[in-house]
Amino acid sequence: MIELGHTNRLTVLRKSDLGYMLSDGTDEILLHFKQSTRELNIGEVVDVFCYSDKEKRKTATMIEPKVTLEDANFAEVVDVLKGIGVFVNVGTPKDVLVSKDYLPYDEEQWPKAGDYLFIRLKKKNDILVGKPLNRFEIKELYPKDIKYALYEHVNGYVARINEKGVGIVTLHKIYVFVPLNQLRGILRLGMRVEVTITKELDSEYYGTLNAHKEELIDTDRDEILKYLNEHHGLMKLTAKSSSEDIAKIFPNMSRKAFKRAYGGLYKDHLIEFDDSKTKKI
């Protein structure tokens, strides 16, 4: 039986107007001319990957896909369908769907075209779909010859988002967890990031997406000054403001970071304040 999602060894039966008809002795399948990497001979045995076309018919290709039922890899997002999921390019003529069931509930965290998901193929109702790997599945793929050093900068893609932080799959296919307090801004699945390794514990890597403290202070100072410039030099926040009040104006800045930047502005005589407000000097 010709198996969907697998490489099948088949015999060339005949040539048609569209391509070559292949068989395993029981079933037949079409290999389009454009999916053949060379001219084939009748009776020749070839290895082809079997996928399903738009009409859900089994179809063959001699072009090796980047992702299979067994082999996981990064696949580029090529289209996003709201409420349904995203389509990714796995190297076959037909892109495969990664269902919304495998994506965050908040569609703002869904991948965009050009992002990359780390997936493996899965058979569902005689078609191939994409399924992102969880951290345990990723750990099983760890390359034995790669080990990260403390504070090493590594590129990867966001693979998981939850209330505790985000999971990054590096280009070496290694999972790095980034706690919530070690990231800033709005992230989405499949987004490319640079993570800095902060520790290794029980064979798991942890990291940060934050810049060095000095760089963050400069960024936060600029954000506060920008707000003051856009609001006639006044701001209803002070060093004593609550985290909730700060978050309303600076959603990506913690109270600690705000106070650190605020203190620097005061020491540089760029701001003054009273009990209820801050004023730019």
Side-chain angles (χ1 to χ4, degrees):
M1 180 179 179
I2 298 175
E3 295 186 84
L4 187 70
H6 290 275
T7 297
N8 296 257
R9 180 155 289 185
L10 306 176
T11 302
V12 180
L13 286 184
R14 60 186 180 276
K15 193 174 182 179
S16 71
D17 293 337
L18 297 176
Y20 301 98
M21 294 305 300
L22 311 179
S23 174
D24 64 346
T26 303
D27 297 330
E28 293 187 8
I29 189 172
L30 175 66
L31 170 66
H32 286 274
F33 286 128
K34 60 184 178 181
Q35 293 306 313
S36 176
T37 57
R38 57 182 174 80
E39 185 79 19
L40 301 181
N41 299 313
I42 305 302
E44 183 178 353
V45 176
V46 293
D47 290 329
V48 294
F49 180 81
C50 179
Y51 65 98
S52 51
D53 64 15
K54 293 180 180 179
E55 284 73 38
K56 298 183 179 180
R57 297 172 301 197
K58 288 182 180 179
T59 310
T61 178
M62 291 179 70
I63 302 170
E64 187 176 352
K66 295 176 287 187
V67 182
T68 68
L69 293 173
E70 295 87 10
D71 300 321
N73 209 336
F74 293 102
E76 183 180 3
V77 176
V78 294
D79 198 12
V80 179
L81 297 181
K82 288 183 178 292
I84 297 175
V86 301
F87 281 94
V88 296
N89 176 12
V90 298
T92 59
K94 182 177 179 296
D95 300 322
V96 303
L97 176 71
V98 177
S99 167
K100 66 177 183 179
D101 297 336
Y102 299 126
L103 301 176
Y105 179 79
D106 182 0
E107 291 192 16
E108 291 296 317
Q109 296 177 345
W110 280 23
K112 295 181 179 179
D115 290 339
Y116 282 80
L117 296 179
F118 192 63
I119 67 167
R120 183 179 280 137
L121 294 183
K122 176 182 178 182
K123 283 191 284 191
K124 184 177 182 181
N125 299 327
D126 291 327
I127 63 171
L128 295 174
V129 297
K131 180 181 181 298
L133 276 67
N134 60 43
R135 68 186 183 98
F136 300 107
E137 292 171 322
I138 296 168
K139 283 184 68 175
E140 294 177 357
L141 305 177
Y142 276 14
K144 296 179 181 179
D145 58 336
I146 295 177
K147 192 171 180 65
Y148 294 140
L150 197 62
Y151 305 123
E152 182 175 352
H153 301 297
V154 186
N155 289 311
Y157 296 94
V158 177
R160 187 183 181 205
I161 302 175
N162 61 30
E163 67 280 357
K164 294 183 179 180
V166 302
I168 309 296
V169 180
T170 72
L171 299 185
H172 299 115
K173 302 179 182 179
I174 293 176
Y175 188 86
V176 180
F177 178 70
V178 179
L180 199 60
N181 64 352
Q182 293 299 319
L183 56 91
R184 285 186 161 207
I186 299 174
L187 298 176
R188 64 181 183 275
L189 221 60
M191 181 179 180
R192 180 159 180 152
V193 295
E194 182 181 79
V195 59
T196 302
I197 304 300
T198 55
K199 67 177 178 179
E200 181 184 3
L201 181 64
D202 297 330
S203 299
E204 284 200 358
Y205 286 102
Y206 292 77
T208 179
L209 296 180
N210 289 340
H212 293 300
K213 186 182 292 185
E214 293 78 12
E215 296 175 27
L216 290 176
I217 291 174
D218 289 341
T219 301
D220 295 338
R221 283 167 58 108
D222 291 343
E223 282 295 307
I224 294 172
L225 289 174
K226 180 182 177 183
Y227 180 88
L228 286 166
N229 289 332
E230 293 174 350
H231 293 80
H232 309 290
L234 293 176
M235 176 175 65
K236 292 184 178 180
L237 291 177
T238 70
K240 295 182 179 180
S241 296
S242 67
S243 299
E244 291 76 16
D245 288 338
I246 293 170
K248 290 176 183 177
I249 296 178
F250 304 108
N252 296 322
M253 198 183 304
S254 67
R255 185 171 187 270
K256 184 177 180 180
F258 174 81
K259 290 180 66 177
R260 193 161 51 217
Y262 188 93
L265 292 172
Y266 179 72
K267 288 180 182 178
D268 291 341
H269 305 290
L270 295 174
I271 59 173
E272 60 184 11
F273 61 89
D274 57 29
D275 291 340
S276 62
K277 64 183 181 299
T278 297
K279 181 180 179 181
K280 183 182 177 184
I281 298 176

